[in-house]
Amino acid sequence: MSVSIDLATAWAFIIAFAVFAYVVLDGFDLGIGILFPAFGVGEERDQAMNSIAPVWDGNETWLVLGGGGLMAAFPLAYAIVLPALYPPMIAMLLALVFRGVAFEFRWRDPAHRAFWDFAFTAGSVTAAFAQGVTLGALLQGIKVANRSYAGGWLDWLTPFSLLTGASVVAGYALLGACWLIWKTEGGAQDHAFRLAKRAGVITLAAIVAVSAATPFLQGRYFARWFAWPAILEVAIVPVLVAVLSIAFVRALAKRHERAPFLLVLALFGLSFAGLGISIFPTIVPPDVTIWQAAAPENAQVFMLIGAGIMVPIILAYTAWAYWVFRGKVGEGYH
């Protein structure tokens, strides 16, 4: 598969980068919410919260950039995808709001902390599951007629989209456990190692299941992965997934603190690359390409100038925030 760079392609990669940045950055703090009931009440839960308190809201900046970029650079895709996925998208946004409120209120309203802890978990699980369902629904294809969504209210709800929803929940839980291995110590870190082993097994099984099912969703996907000689190029993705999975298991066994998180990020990156191999250059599978959905050229150029200014600024303050709050966490709200 060859890729020629033009404005539409450049914007496709910018939006893909923003979505991936959101998935890996907000993924681990959603994962901590998913795992929250497994943590001990008191110090262990407070350490988990403190590990993400300085960065969790900044992580969601990338969701705004990805969604806003899609609306501005590919308005046709935005107009088709949103009506097709209203239920999971609305559920995700409400869950993120509910989770954010719970995050702040559990510190200020200790009399109802059990409720806010439940709200934090419920919001995290719902948001992660809705994101996975959205991914699965997009992969399986969206009905389009006359440049509009032509499907029903529940077309997104299939066994495959439920599988991708559960897979994203497991993947985020693994990211959260590995983040806590890095950021905590003592009993909390021991607990995080145990959780990472369980979540790792489930996540690797989920990657295998989704990877095995995806080529059979559409003939185009199957050709991308199994046609000769393209298979020689794309085979490197599952091979690297296998290598990184072995390295991840070894890193957990040797109780490395940083390597498990970095290896899981690499696994997410390979999964994202696999998604790109399957669908590029379509942006609304199976038929709408990035060029058909693109905004006028002058609008793309104008927005590209803005992105060239804003993306480095976002990267800079994100890196600065993680640098300032580096190291192990303690008790108390940052």
Side-chain angles (χ1 to χ4, degrees):
M1 180 177 62
S2 61
V3 178
S4 58
I5 301 298
D6 55 19
L7 279 173
T9 307
W11 266 109
F13 277 95
I14 290 171
I15 292 171
F17 174 76
V19 172
F20 181 70
Y22 169 76
V23 166
V24 298
L25 292 178
D26 209 31
F28 71 78
D29 64 58
L30 284 169
I32 287 172
I34 293 166
L35 295 172
F36 212 60
F39 302 140
V41 176
E43 182 180 350
E44 197 166 302
R45 291 191 178 187
D46 290 348
Q47 283 192 47
M49 279 291 204
N50 284 334
S51 74
I52 58 173
V55 295
W56 73 273
D57 46 357
N59 292 340
E60 294 180 352
T61 303
W62 296 102
L63 180 63
V64 177
L65 180 60
L70 180 67
M71 180 180 66
F74 301 104
L76 178 60
Y78 188 86
I80 294 171
V81 169
L82 208 59
L85 299 173
Y86 269 141
M89 296 293 284
I90 292 172
M92 178 192 72
L93 294 174
L94 290 177
L96 289 175
V97 171
F98 194 46
R99 174 178 178 273
V101 171
F103 195 105
E104 299 296 338
F105 272 64
R106 78 177 298 274
W107 298 99
R108 306 297 181 190
D109 182 24
H112 301 95
R113 182 162 291 178
F115 171 77
W116 296 120
D117 285 354
F118 166 78
F120 182 58
T121 298
S124 300
V125 172
T126 302
F129 186 74
Q131 289 173 18
V133 167
T134 299
L135 171 64
L138 190 63
L139 264 175
Q140 68 194 8
I142 292 176
K143 295 177 182 176
V144 178
N146 299 321
R147 297 167 61 85
S148 299
Y149 176 56
W153 180 250
L154 294 177
D155 281 10
W156 54 273
L157 185 58
T158 66
F160 180 76
S161 67
L162 295 177
L163 171 64
T164 53
S167 299
V168 168
V169 172
Y172 284 178
L174 177 59
L175 273 174
C178 292
W179 173 257
L180 289 180
I181 290 173
W182 189 350
K183 298 295 288 185
T184 61
E185 52 194 352
Q189 188 185 57
D190 293 338
H191 196 177
F193 269 112
R194 294 194 295 273
L195 291 172
K197 290 177 182 176
R198 298 169 193 163
V201 171
I202 298 172
T203 300
L204 293 176
I207 290 175
V208 172
V210 173
S211 300
T214 299
F216 297 96
L217 293 174
Q218 296 183 27
R220 181 180 301 174
Y221 297 167
F222 190 90
R224 284 281 174 84
W225 287 99
F226 296 109
W228 184 267
I231 191 173
L232 297 177
E233 297 178 356
V234 300
I236 191 172
V237 174
V239 170
L240 286 176
V241 167
V243 171
L244 290 178
S245 299
I246 294 170
F248 170 73
V249 172
R250 289 171 60 87
L252 282 185
K254 294 183 178 180
R255 294 182 65 85
H256 291 165
E257 293 190 346
R258 296 184 182 182
F261 183 72
L262 298 177
L263 288 166
V264 174
L265 288 185
L267 282 171
F268 268 69
L270 285 171
S271 300
F272 205 70
L275 172 65
I277 290 171
S278 294
I279 71 171
F280 187 84
T282 58
I283 192 168
V284 184
D287 298 321
V288 181
T289 68
I290 57 173
W291 299 286
Q292 292 170 322
E297 183 176 327
N298 55 353
Q300 290 187 63
V301 171
F302 177 76
M303 292 182 296
L304 198 59
I305 295 171
I309 297 171
M310 292 307 301
V311 171
I313 292 175
I314 297 172
L315 285 171
Y317 78 65
T318 301
W320 174 247
Y322 278 83
W323 173 255
V324 169
F325 292 99
R326 65 190 183 278
K328 301 291 186 181
V329 296
E331 297 182 21
Y333 183 41
H334 283 289

